Amino acid sequence: MTNVQELIPQNLQAEVDSALAWFNAHENASFEVTGIVNPPTASNSGEDLRLVLCGEGVCRQETFRVAGSAGSAGAPTVAWLGLDHAQDSLSVAELDPPPGARKAWLADVAGQHSFAVLLFYRGFW
C-alpha cells in the first residue's frame, strides 16, 4: 500500500531540501514539498525520494536520487529520475483525471453545468 506522509522524516530532511533546491533551480520555479511517498527508512540509503511538490498552481509527484550530504565535502549530487512508469500501477496518484469512466464523467458534467467543484487532495482523485 502506498504511504504518503505530509511531514518529512527528520533523517531525510537534508536530502529532501537538496532535491527541492535542485528542482527549483532546474525548473526556474518555486515549488514546496508537501509530502513524501513511501519514504526510505534511512538517509543516504541510495533509495529514491518520491516527493509531492506543489507551487505555481500545480502539484506534481517527482522522483529523485540524492548522493552525498550537505555536511560532506561538496554539495550533494541530485539525480532527477522523473516519472517511474513502473510505479504507475501501484495506486500512485495522477495529477490529471485518470482515463476511463472518471474522465468521461468529468467531461460530461462539465458540459452540463456552468461550473463544477472537484476535490483534488494531495494528488488523489
Side-chain angles (χ1 to χ4, degrees), residues 63-83:
T63 305
F64 302 91
R65 185 165 296 139
V66 180
S69 64
S72 65
T77 303
V78 177
W80 182 20
L81 304 178
L83 179 64

Side-chain angles (χ1 to χ4, degrees), residues 42-122:
S43 62
N44 295 320
S45 65
E47 293 183 57
D48 298 347
L49 293 176
R50 294 172 51 202
L51 304 177
V52 178
L53 305 176
C54 294
E56 302 183 1
V58 297
C59 288
R60 27 192 307 188
Q61 184 181 147
E62 298 293 344
T63 305
F64 302 91
R65 185 165 296 139
V66 180
S69 64
S72 65
T77 303
V78 177
W80 182 20
L81 304 178
L83 179 64
D84 182 358
H85 295 289
Q87 297 290 342
D88 286 347
S89 62
L90 299 177
S91 300
V92 175
E94 298 269 340
L95 297 182
D96 290 323
R102 281 189 246 173
K103 195 166 195 169
W105 174 86
L106 180 58
D108 188 41
V109 168
Q112 293 175 7
H113 304 283
S114 58
F115 73 93
V117 177
L118 302 175
L119 178 59
F120 179 78
Y121 177 71
R122 303 187 51 78

Side-chain angles (χ1 to χ4, degrees), residues 2-60:
T2 302
N3 174 20
V4 180
Q5 295 182 9
E6 292 183 26
L7 297 176
I8 306 302
Q10 188 63 36
N11 63 324
L12 299 174
Q13 190 66 56
E15 291 177 63
V16 169
D17 290 344
S18 295
L20 177 63
W22 183 93
F23 184 79
N24 281 334
H26 183 267
E27 294 293 299
N28 194 25
S30 58
F31 283 85
E32 294 180 5
V33 176
T34 62
I36 186 167
V37 180
N38 296 333
T41 55
S43 62
N44 295 320
S45 65
E47 293 183 57
D48 298 347
L49 293 176
R50 294 172 51 202
L51 304 177
V52 178
L53 305 176
C54 294
E56 302 183 1
V58 297
C59 288
R60 27 192 307 188

